[in-house]
Amino acid sequence: MEFDYDLFVIGAGSGGVRASRIAAGFGARVAVAEEFRVGGTCVIRGCVPKKLLVYASHFAEDFEMAKGFGWTVGETSFDWKTLISRKDAEIDRLNGLYIKTLEGAGVEIINGRAVVTGPNSVSLGGREITAKTILVATGGWPHMPDVPGIEHAITSNEAFHLDEQPKRIVVVGGGYIAVEFAGIFRGMGSDVTLLYRGEQIMRGFDDDLRDRLTIEMQRKGIDVRTGTNVTGIEKLDTGVHLTLTDGSTMEADAVMYATGRVPNTSGLGLEAAEVELGKGGAVKVDAFGKTNVDSIYAVGDVTDRVQLTPVAIKEGHAFALTVFGGTPTSPAHDAIPTAVFSQPPIGTVGLSESDAKEKYGDIDVYTSDFRPMKHTLGGSDERAFTKMIVDKSTGKVVGAHMIGVDAAEIIQGIGIAVKAGLTKAQFDATVAVHPSSAEEFVLMRTPRDN
Ligand code: NDP
């Protein structure tokens, strides 16, 4: 049978774009359908605009610190509208670059929502299109719990486009997005309350990092309330009125939910092709991204394995190599370095102390707690903390963690070493870069008493 395309990709986000481009490079006839904007969550309403906002919010602290270095900083002020419009212009530029890259690779971009109608067919705008292979790369969408009045809450999607900076904002959730946005708004001078239902924010991260992030966020004036959730939201002329689980109430200009993201599979027609879905509607795939239907694959957040852009990109690339490049490639999901752009940021790779203990039993833990040099004259009390977990039987570093200035930049290099399975002795044999915060990773000599 002759198909319209060799590959039809649904979703032009990080995973879909990479898969399309690489497959086209192998000579495949590729089309990608996108219902919003080419670039997907990360570029349009995620990692990229978020990081621009993180940069913007840090200046208040930088101006303060500059005084300690002899600078006289004049009166400063911050204009939300300027930031948002400049950020939007940059996102437009990147969106254009993504489109150009796809077109340059010979990929046809189709604007619209595609729905799967069978193992080799999709429908789009009333048109039936056939393809030898279909790749589902539709990503995820913010999950909002069922709370009365939830329609008055925003998510990170809307936070990027608010007309005004909320002077008082409540952030619900204790994961990546919650702590990042709490830091952003606080840096810009908003009163920020973070409500987390559990005992300690950032579940899944190393406990020491979780403790320290809480302390540093509180030091910056964020009201972190654990063991607390929202039971009801009412709209006021001036914002929102919240009722909390402890019976107390509070008012704010906005309430933002950062309570996880769910796979974007609803109404996608996957049932028509009998594609098996798992928990929360995630597309079930094998190690190569293949679903239970031979002609349908999925990559990225829609599979709900590791919700990170670089992972989706690796999965998209591996898919293209496997199906169109003649090289079956299964992307590894171990030792994935990741950063949280909280303030201060977190960088982490490998296992937390508790996970390492469970997996290896006998471990050594090395820690270092220090005041970054910039903060001595800068006058900030913010501290940095590094931690390494070593499997005693092999000497291998199985976890490396940091919270502090530049943690995201530092952990990328450390990630290579952990991924390569290097030992603590090999870290120790490496000469330190001095003076830096990164050098702690080669200078920690005495294991902590367990
Ligand atoms: P996360 O899964 O990181 O965190 C969700 C948070 O919401 C958790 O603290 C969770 O609590 C809480 N929560 C879940 N359901 C409810 C509920 N019904 N009521 C109250 N609280 C609730 O999700 P995010 O939305 O922060 O981010 C989604 C994903 O996007 C992340 O997992 C991450 O992979 C990715 N991301 C990565 C970034 C980066 O690389 N820097 C930046 C932003 C996002 P509990 O712990 O109790 O389950």
Side-chain angles (χ1 to χ4, degrees), residues 50 145 174-177 180 196-197 203 229 258-260 307-308 339:
K50 179 273 308 287
Y176 278 84
I177 298 179
E180 291 182 342
Y196 175 53
R197 64 179 177 182
R203 187 162 58 82
N229 211 342
T259 42
Q307 295 183 351
L308 294 173

Side-chain angles (χ1 to χ4, degrees), residues 8-26:
F8 193 92
V9 180
I10 309 180
S14 301
V17 166
R18 175 59 69 93
S20 307
R21 198 160 66 72
I22 303 301
F26 287 123

Side-chain angles (χ1 to χ4, degrees), residues 15-360:
V17 166
R18 175 59 69 93
S20 307
R21 198 160 66 72
I22 303 301
F26 287 123
R29 295 168 305 139
V30 184
V32 58
E34 172 57 53
E35 63 175 327
F36 299 121
R37 297 182 75 189
V38 170
T41 299
C42 180
V43 178
I44 306 297
R45 65 190 90 78
C47 340
V48 176
K50 179 273 308 287
K51 190 146 183 205
L52 293 173
L53 264 51
V54 169
Y55 280 130
S57 79
H58 214 274
F59 282 98
E61 207 168 86
D62 295 338
F63 293 147
E64 263 320 296
M65 281 213 250
K67 294 178 192 163
F69 289 90
W71 288 89
T72 301
V73 181
E75 201 181 317
T76 60
S77 65
F78 169 67
D79 184 47
W80 171 264
K81 284 195 166 74
T82 303
L83 171 65
I84 296 302
S85 75
R86 287 188 56 78
K87 177 267 293 175
D88 286 345
E90 174 60 8
I91 301 309
D92 288 348
R93 187 183 72 86
L94 293 174
N95 168 245
L97 279 180
Y98 269 71
I99 293 172
K100 224 164 138 183
T101 304
L102 282 175
E103 288 174 348
V107 175
E108 188 181 334
I109 302 170
I110 306 177
N111 298 315
R113 180 173 175 80
V115 172
V116 177
T117 50
N120 297 100
S121 61
V122 300
S123 102
L124 200 153
R127 194 155 63 103
E128 195 78 0
I129 299 170
T130 60
K132 186 157 188 258
T133 304
I134 294 170
L135 178 69
V136 180
T138 49
W141 197 251
H143 156 76
M144 303 271 265
D146 195 9
V147 172
I150 192 73
E151 64 277 13
H152 305 307
I154 60 168
T155 68
S156 53
N157 287 350
E158 294 77 36
F160 288 119
H161 297 286
L162 294 173
D163 289 337
E164 304 281 341
Q165 175 191 351
K167 295 292 178 218
R168 301 163 304 165
I169 184 161
V170 174
V171 179
V172 184
Y176 278 84
I177 298 179
V179 300
E180 291 182 342
F181 272 88
I184 287 169
F185 283 114
R186 183 63 198 140
M188 289 167 181
S190 300
D191 283 338
V192 180
T193 305
L194 184 139
L195 303 179
Y196 175 53
R197 64 179 177 182
E199 273 177 24
Q200 201 185 21
I201 59 171
M202 299 307 289
R203 187 162 58 82
F205 282 72
D206 186 88
D207 285 345
D208 280 328
L209 295 188
R210 301 169 74 188
D211 279 343
R212 281 168 190 268
L213 179 60
T214 306
I215 292 167
E216 297 297 346
M217 285 172 72
Q218 285 168 333
R219 214 200 288 277
K220 289 182 197 296
I222 297 170
D223 182 5
V224 181
R225 298 194 204 170
T226 53
T228 312
N229 211 342
V230 176
T231 54
I233 305 169
E234 281 169 57
K235 177 109 186 72
L236 302 176
D237 288 346
T238 52
V240 286
H241 178 270
L242 308 178
T243 309
L244 309 184
T245 40
D246 61 7
S248 67
T249 61
M250 64 186 298
E251 284 181 17
D253 300 325
V255 56
M256 174 181 146
Y257 271 73
T259 42
R261 296 175 56 87
V262 287
N264 234 337
T265 48
S266 138
L268 204 57
L270 292 169
E271 309 78 15
E274 293 179 4
V275 173
E276 232 180 280
L277 302 182
K279 204 170 148 248
V283 181
K284 278 192 178 175
V285 290
D286 68 11
F288 299 94
K290 189 153 72 115
T291 69
N292 59 311
V293 178
D294 281 350
S295 55
I296 302 184
Y297 287 70
V299 295
D301 284 4
V302 78
T303 64
D304 202 11
R305 288 171 291 176
V306 183
Q307 295 183 351
L308 294 173
T309 284
V311 174
I313 292 173
K314 275 231 178 300
E315 290 170 2
H317 202 122
F319 154 80
L321 289 175
T322 302
V323 179
F324 297 98
T327 318
T329 308
S330 144
H333 287 106
D334 66 314
I336 295 170
T338 178
V340 185
F341 294 94
S342 46
Q343 298 180 37
I346 282 176
T348 180
V349 58
L351 303 178
S352 66
E353 180 178 344
S354 55
D355 287 349
K357 200 170 270 168
E358 203 176 303
K359 180 161 181 190
Y360 296 104

